[in-house]
Amino acid sequence: EAGVTQFPSHSVIEKGQTVTLRCDPISGHDNLYWYRRVMGKEIKFLLHFVKESKQDESGMPNNRFLAERTGGTYSTLKVQPAELEDSGVYFCASGAGARSDTQYFGPGTRLTVL
Amino acid sequence: AQSVTQPDIHITVSEGASLELRCNYSYGATPYLFWYVQSPGQGLQLLLKYFSGDTLVQGIKGFEAEFKRSQSSFNLRKPSVHWSDAAEYFCAVGARISGGYNKLIFGAGTRLAVHP
């Protein structure tokens, strides 16, 4: 069974540009989470989907970040326009559905904004 | 406020030595607790988890952790470290969010180096 996959693995962009990160969860997992680790700090929660619905987006830093999960399968996280402080590693995780379920993480996308 | 503290940023041990990584949490209810490991160039891999029951939890790769409610701790241990255990280790607590689901609150991580 394939794990959580993320694309791209690395992205380097200029300040002001747009970047879209993609996450493919484990097949059949209704729950999808985005997290971010900025500059060696703690990994922090961004938002949570249940199927195609945003269940909680309390961790989204500002309105430059837009997450979607059309059809309840893969998800995208768009940053527009990117700022220097957006640099970091963006992780996606998925879970099977029970409220105490385990979250399985992807390898992350390392975003560098110059 | 909910939080996780990993007091040790870096730890160096010799191969074959025992290991204990510390984790303290702050959470009002019964916590769901996790340890993840990130090896160089890899994603986060779940080592073990505690939801309820036996407070000594066994995980993969020979790791175990003990939940101590009185000390708000969930320390990770391994009796004999292998060079391949060199990685960054994250302790996390599951915090309740909308709909009864859980987000993970992570500690800052402990980077483990293993000397031959």
Side-chain angles (χ1 to χ4, degrees):
Chain A
E1 178 183 292
V4 177
T5 58
Q6 293 186 245
F7 182 83
S9 57
H10 293 85
S11 181
V12 181
I13 61 172
E14 299 281 339
K15 175 183 172 180
Q17 289 185 323
T18 297
V19 63
T20 300
L21 314 181
R22 172 171 170 145
C23 168
D24 287 78
I26 294 171
S27 178
H29 281 191
D30 287 339
N31 291 285
L32 189 148
Y33 305 81
W34 283 98
Y35 292 82
R36 177 175 76 165
R37 190 182 193 193
V38 174
M39 293 297 292
K41 295 187 177 179
E42 292 88 348
I43 301 168
K44 291 197 172 178
F45 168 82
L46 296 178
L47 86 158
H48 168 222
F49 285 98
V50 178
K51 297 184 179 179
E52 67 276 6
S53 300
K54 289 179 189 174
Q55 187 73 21
D56 189 305
E57 51 183 334
S58 60
M60 294 287 264
N62 51 61
N63 59 10
R64 294 185 294 103
F65 289 76
L66 175 63
E68 295 179 324
R69 191 182 183 196
T70 306
T73 55
Y74 70 91
S75 174
T76 59
L77 180 64
K78 180 189 289 188
V79 185
Q80 180 181 28
E83 299 289 345
L84 299 179
E85 63 265 26
D86 300 333
S87 295
V89 181
Y90 290 77
F91 291 102
C92 175
S94 71
R99 284 170 168 76
S100 62
D101 74 341
T102 299
Q103 296 179 27
Y104 298 91
F105 281 76
T109 293
R110 180 173 296 278
L111 174 64
T112 301
V113 183
L114 301 175
Chain B
Q2 302 148 352
S3 65
V4 175
T5 301
Q6 294 180 246
D8 305 305
I9 298 175
H10 290 97
I11 284 184
T12 301
V13 300
S14 298
E15 191 169 17
S18 63
L19 173 70
E20 182 170 28
L21 302 183
R22 295 181 290 165
C23 172
N24 291 93
Y25 67 90
S26 173
Y27 189 69
T30 301
Y32 299 140
L33 295 161
F34 305 83
W35 275 99
Y36 284 86
V37 61
Q38 185 177 23
S39 298
Q42 305 296 315
L44 293 167
Q45 182 182 23
L46 179 69
L47 282 176
L48 48 79
K49 60 189 177 185
Y50 171 78
F51 287 170
S52 65
D54 193 345
T55 56
L56 184 62
V57 180
Q58 301 298 319
I60 62 171
K61 304 184 179 185
F63 285 92
E64 66 177 26
E66 186 171 13
F67 169 58
K68 292 185 177 180
R69 184 186 300 276
S70 62
Q71 299 178 20
S72 297
S73 69
F74 189 56
N75 294 348
L76 182 71
R77 299 193 295 251
K78 186 170 185 178
S80 178
V81 170
H82 188 262
W83 64 267
S84 61
D85 293 324
E88 192 163 18
Y89 292 79
F90 297 93
C91 181
V93 64
R96 193 62 57 89
I97 56 177
S98 174
Y101 294 89
N102 287 284
K103 67 178 180 182
L104 295 178
I105 297 175
F106 285 89
T110 298
R111 192 172 294 276
L112 174 67
V114 180
H115 280 177

